[in-house]
Amino acid sequence: MAIRNISVMLFIFFLSNITLAVNGLLPPKLFDVTKYGAIANGRTDNSLAFLRAWGDACGYEGKSRVWVPPGIYLLGSVSFSGPCNGPISFLIKGTLTAPTDPRMFFTDTWIGFRYVDRLTVAGGGYLDGKGPAAWPYNDCHKNPGCKPLPATLRLDFITNSRVHHLRSINSKNTHINVFACTNLSISQVRITAPAESPNTDGIRIGSSNTIKISNSVISTGDDCISMVSGSQNIDISYVACGPGHGISIGSLGRSHENNDDVVGIRVSKCTFIGSDNGVRIKTWAPSLSSLASNITFEDIVIRNARNPIVIDQQYCPLSGCMEGDSAVQVQNVMFKNIWGISQTKVAVNIQCSGVLPCKNVQLINIHLAYRVVTDRRPLFALMSWVPLMEDRFLLAVYKCAI
């Protein structure tokens, strides 16, 4: 009887595979990088083995999974390109480590995915960017012609995809860079770099639409999340940030960069712990024209952030800045339900453009104390070129004076 049941099951399995093949589909298939020659010793460059595994998986006419087993894999600069013939997953169970040879630093990408639809990058593994070996080469703060350092994970032209359950540590530059992507979800990621590490943005988004980031922890040396030109319909929730420079829109309007509008941003239910900033909008001055509109920061907890609420339209972190006003119009911005402790007395700092004053900026239900709740010294709200047109705005300023 048992033999007969096994025979029936095998027949059903065989018949289902025939049906899938007739319909142009194949059963899911695993592509193990170790079967392509990858060696998990932390010393052998596995770039070719990974690219071969990706090539076969991407060409497979069904659901495919590139599998990186436990172990430490040295990986040079690689770009995994599509389009692929079906949904594809890149599952990292082990640790991928970047090169420490300075001759391999000066590129914009360590691990890249391009032109892929229905991509999943996950697995619970680590991306170790080996940043300490490269940070001394980062002199961009004083050298306008500085050479680029690689982003740990670069996603270009990715659609209908997910990144989840990954850990990125010590990126040489940005940890996750998102460019020209649509309908991308990033969740359950942990990003870590020292507070003093230069330009190590956690997640940087540009020229992308319908991006969701949630349930993640980001501790880094630059913006936890930054949204630059062309970011539209971005939803960020349940993110813990700190150390870092906060969650920022911008910087916008710099002359040599793309200046598409930033529209439809929502940041909610996030916590800032010991960060330099909380929620921030920053634009260069002088700048090219663009728009930042329909932006909401809501249900935010501040735990010892230096600058909890910022609009800075005189942004210029370089020496020798030119004088002038920002031509970026900031409008329809709401800061609502923001509580916590500020490290500085200036809890709300809104410095708008002199030629294009902010429009319809609302602060509602803002409760911020200075350092400790029992310290009753007043907080301040510094504001320039902000039309005070609504009672709710005036009430919020009043509530800031704890």
Side-chain angles (χ1 to χ4, degrees):
M1 187 68 177
I3 295 175
R4 181 181 178 183
N5 289 340
I6 292 174
S7 300
V8 171
M9 292 173 63
L10 289 173
F11 175 75
I12 293 173
F13 177 75
F14 178 73
L15 187 62
S16 64
N17 283 348
I18 291 176
T19 302
L20 288 171
V22 168
N23 293 331
L25 299 174
L26 293 173
K29 186 173 180 180
L30 191 72
F31 297 83
D32 186 335
V33 295
T34 62
K35 305 300 183 185
Y36 290 82
I39 301 173
N41 60 11
R43 300 183 304 274
T44 302
D45 186 349
N46 294 291
S47 301
L48 288 178
F50 275 60
L51 288 169
R52 290 188 188 112
W54 171 266
D56 285 354
C58 186
Y60 184 67
E61 299 278 354
K63 291 183 179 180
S64 59
R65 298 180 178 91
V66 177
W67 171 246
V68 182
I72 301 175
Y73 301 83
L74 176 63
L75 195 64
S77 177
V78 291
S79 185
F80 303 109
S81 296
C84 297
N85 289 329
I88 185 167
S89 298
F90 199 96
L91 305 178
I92 305 166
K93 194 67 173 178
T95 297
L96 307 185
T97 63
T100 56
D101 183 345
R103 293 172 297 180
M104 303 179 70
F105 287 171
F106 302 111
T107 176
D108 65 357
T109 304
W110 175 29
I111 301 169
F113 292 89
R114 296 168 52 86
Y115 299 104
V116 185
D117 183 50
R118 295 177 293 171
L119 168 70
T120 298
V121 182
Y126 285 81
L127 306 178
D128 184 354
K130 297 296 182 182
W135 295 331
Y137 294 87
N138 187 328
D139 61 350
C140 294
H141 62 286
K142 60 182 179 181
N143 177 16
C146 62
K147 294 181 179 180
L149 290 171
T152 286
L153 179 62
R154 184 174 293 274
L155 304 170
D156 296 335
F157 306 98
I158 302 299
T159 55
N160 306 313
S161 298
R162 297 188 303 153
V163 176
H164 62 92
H165 292 94
L166 278 184
R167 298 184 180 185
S168 176
I169 59 176
N170 293 336
S171 171
K172 291 182 174 72
N173 200 323
T174 300
H175 287 258
I176 301 176
N177 194 89
V178 177
F179 176 76
C181 296
T182 302
N183 193 24
L184 171 67
S185 170
I186 301 175
S187 64
Q188 302 289 342
V189 298
R190 182 179 290 270
I191 293 172
T192 307
E196 65 275 10
S197 57
N199 300 117
T200 53
D201 287 34
I203 302 173
R204 179 180 173 89
I205 305 168
S207 300
S208 296
N209 198 323
T210 316
I211 309 297
K212 182 175 182 179
I213 302 171
S214 62
N215 298 297
S216 296
V217 178
I218 303 175
S219 307
T220 187
D222 210 310
D223 291 333
C224 290
I225 300 173
S226 64
M227 292 157 278
V228 298
S229 297
S231 298
Q232 299 192 6
N233 301 314
I234 313 296
D235 187 277
I236 300 168
S237 62
Y238 298 103
V239 170
C241 168
H245 295 180
I247 294 179
S248 300
I249 295 172
S251 55
L252 305 178
R254 197 173 186 182
S255 59
H256 67 276
E257 296 177 349
N258 171 25
N259 284 286
D260 291 338
D261 296 344
V262 173
V263 179
I265 310 299
R266 179 179 176 83
V267 179
S268 63
K269 299 177 177 64
C270 294
T271 301
F272 297 86
I273 306 168
S275 54
D276 284 2
N277 305 290
V279 291
R280 176 169 63 155
I281 300 172
K282 52 182 177 176
T283 72
W284 286 83
S287 75
L288 297 180
S289 298
S290 65
L291 174 70
S293 181
N294 299 340
I295 299 164
T296 298
F297 301 103
E298 185 174 14
D299 299 331
I300 303 296
V301 175
I302 303 291
R303 296 181 181 175
N304 291 312
R306 290 184 55 82
N307 305 291
I309 298 173
V310 177
I311 296 179
D312 181 5
Q313 293 209 259
Q314 297 293 321
Y315 180 76
C316 180
L318 307 174
S319 60
C321 296
M322 299 174 59
E323 293 188 6
D325 290 299
S326 175
V328 178
Q329 177 68 74
V330 175
Q331 66 182 33
N332 302 329
V333 179
M334 181 170 66
F335 301 93
K336 182 179 180 181
N337 299 340
I338 300 179
W339 307 275
I341 309 298
S342 172
Q343 284 191 35
T344 62
K345 290 186 178 182
V346 181
V348 179
N349 191 345
I350 298 179
Q351 307 294 324
C352 294
S353 169
V355 295
L356 285 175
C358 300
K359 295 180 180 179
N360 191 27
V361 175
Q362 303 177 33
L363 289 92
I364 305 168
N365 196 21
I366 310 298
H367 296 273
L368 293 168
Y370 174 50
R371 294 188 182 278
V372 293
V373 175
T374 56
D375 190 333
R376 308 308 294 177
R377 287 177 288 180
L379 289 177
F380 296 92
L382 297 183
M383 303 185 184
S384 66
W385 300 103
V386 185
L388 301 181
M389 299 176 61
E390 299 195 14
D391 289 342
R392 288 193 298 176
F393 185 88
L394 293 170
L395 177 62
V397 174
Y398 169 76
K399 286 185 177 179
C400 284
I402 296 174

